[in-house]
Amino acid sequence: MKEKVMEILQGDPLYSVICETPLEETLYTDSYLTDIIEKKFYSTPEVAAWFEITDAQLRYYIKPFEHYIFDDMADNPTTATVIRLNMPSILKLRMILLLKDEYRVKGLKRLLGIDENGYIVKQPAATTALAPPDELANKVEVLSNVLQQMMQTGLFHMQQDDESGAMQITINESYLAQNINLLSMESIQQLSEVQDRTEKLTEESKSLQKQITELKEENKKDIAFKIRERQIENEVVSTLRTEALEQFAEQKKSGIFAKLFRSAQVELEKERFINQYLAKHLSKRLDKALREYHESS
């Protein structure tokens, strides 16, 4: 399916961000791609199950990007209450989910050129206007002067084509041969120096191109590290919240009455306990996880 995904997403602004990063391989190897049918439409619960998120979470990320995801498809069977997605829409939504932690909703909107009303701002197409008559007359006069000066050099001949009758300009070979013989040794040496400088500039250009390529590669690696570090942070926070909830539940065990009628005070105590637990353990646990990640990389 890799070739098919690349064909569908060619020229997509989010695809250009994902290309040549660790996320690109995820885009090609998602398990749902083995089952998806290109011409079929799927419901949000089906797609949410593929991405291992809830239907509400999926709809949350569809809403700000509707015009990008659906691309104003006339044949889309989406209604006011039921959303249907085909393969291109699902691939676009998948890229949004892969990049959401790094760019957030605002950053993704900037990448896609989406305005505050949710519409994609299209750049106006360049138009070519005809030059006014006066401008055309000036251009014709300039070209006539240039042609006249060319003919005065003696390097060119103007003659009429026997078949078409059109005037053609040809090189005066005898004049050219005479003047080539008059080239001095100084001119030849200057030509050699120009060639040497050209070769040096070519080598410098290759060296600069190599440096630019290396800088681009380093930048891509930095992006990949930042994405993974953000994922690690989210994983650590989630783990710590689970631990805190388990400890809080162990401390607050009580009878059936307390379970059925939890007061707002208990909820406040629970959140306070979780925040204190995170404040106590997050920094150390996150440092450890990031250190292990960088050592393994």
Side-chain angles (χ1 to χ4, degrees):
M1 292 294 290
K2 179 177 179 179
E3 290 75 13
K4 190 63 183 177
V5 171
M6 293 173 67
E7 178 186 348
I8 293 173
L9 297 179
Q10 185 177 8
D12 188 284
L14 296 189
Y15 182 60
S16 64
V17 174
I18 285 179
C19 277
E20 300 184 26
T21 71
L23 296 176
E24 183 180 12
E25 194 60 28
T26 302
L27 192 64
Y28 301 144
T29 58
D30 276 327
S31 58
Y32 75 89
L33 292 173
T34 59
D35 302 321
I36 196 169
I37 299 173
E38 184 179 356
K39 300 298 182 181
K40 184 178 177 181
F41 286 85
Y42 297 87
S43 65
T44 53
E46 289 176 291
V47 179
W50 286 341
F51 297 157
E52 298 181 349
I53 59 177
T54 66
D55 181 62
Q57 289 173 319
L58 190 75
R59 288 171 176 267
Y60 173 81
Y61 284 102
I62 289 175
K63 185 62 177 176
F65 306 103
E66 287 181 346
H67 290 276
Y68 162 67
I69 293 172
F70 299 112
D71 196 23
D72 298 327
M73 292 183 294
D75 59 345
N76 191 330
T78 294
T79 66
T81 57
V82 179
I83 298 176
R84 310 289 290 177
L85 301 106
N86 61 1
M87 186 174 179
S89 298
I90 293 169
L91 287 171
K92 291 178 180 181
L93 184 55
R94 181 55 169 155
M95 290 192 294
I96 290 172
L97 294 174
L98 289 173
L99 295 170
K100 65 180 176 62
D101 290 332
E102 178 65 17
Y103 289 92
R104 307 298 183 186
V105 171
K106 288 185 178 179
L108 291 171
K109 282 187 173 182
R110 283 196 296 270
L111 289 175
L112 294 169
I114 295 177
D115 63 18
E116 59 184 9
N117 297 316
Y119 291 94
I120 297 176
V121 180
K122 295 182 178 180
Q123 296 297 329
T127 57
T128 303
L130 292 175
D134 291 344
E135 186 177 342
L136 287 175
N138 290 334
K139 288 182 178 181
V140 170
E141 184 178 356
V142 171
L143 289 174
S144 299
N145 291 334
V146 170
L147 180 59
Q148 184 178 3
Q149 292 175 23
M150 287 172 58
M151 299 306 298
Q152 289 174 353
T153 63
L155 183 58
F156 302 98
H157 277 313
M158 181 178 287
Q159 60 186 21
Q160 189 174 20
D161 189 304
D162 294 335
E163 295 182 0
S164 64
M167 298 300 295
Q168 292 184 337
I169 297 177
T170 59
I171 293 178
N172 185 345
E173 295 182 358
S174 61
Y175 177 88
L176 182 62
Q178 291 174 3
N179 282 273
I180 288 177
N181 292 331
L182 295 176
L183 284 174
S184 64
M185 292 300 297
E186 180 181 357
S187 298
I188 296 175
Q189 173 143 9
Q190 288 176 351
L191 180 60
S192 176
E193 290 175 357
V194 170
Q195 290 174 339
D196 291 339
R197 292 187 64 183
T198 301
E199 291 175 357
K200 289 180 181 178
L201 288 172
T202 301
E203 291 299 321
E204 291 176 0
S205 176
K206 290 180 180 178
S207 176
L208 287 172
Q209 187 63 38
K210 182 179 179 182
Q211 293 177 23
I212 291 171
T213 301
E214 291 173 353
L215 288 172
K216 287 182 178 179
E217 291 298 326
E218 291 176 2
N219 188 43
K220 290 175 184 175
K221 291 179 181 178
D222 289 341
I223 292 174
F225 278 129
K226 289 178 180 178
I227 292 173
R228 181 56 188 148
E229 287 173 353
R230 183 68 59 81
Q231 291 173 341
I232 291 172
E233 180 181 353
N234 291 338
E235 291 169 1
V236 170
V237 171
S238 178
T239 301
L240 290 173
R241 285 185 64 86
T242 301
E243 293 175 3
L245 285 169
E246 290 174 352
Q247 291 190 21
F248 181 82
E250 188 66 26
Q251 293 179 12
K252 295 294 181 179
K253 278 185 177 178
S254 58
I256 296 176
F257 182 82
K259 291 180 180 178
L260 293 176
F261 301 96
R262 289 181 177 171
S263 66
Q265 183 62 32
V266 172
E267 291 299 321
L268 290 174
E269 290 177 5
K270 180 177 71 174
E271 288 301 318
R272 190 181 299 113
F273 182 86
I274 292 172
N275 291 334
Q276 291 174 350
Y277 192 88
L278 287 172
K280 181 178 180 181
H281 297 284
L282 178 59
S283 178
K284 184 176 180 181
R285 192 78 63 88
L286 183 57
D287 287 343
K288 180 182 178 183
L290 291 175
R291 186 169 59 254
E292 290 175 353
Y293 165 65
H294 286 295
E295 288 175 354
S296 65
S297 301

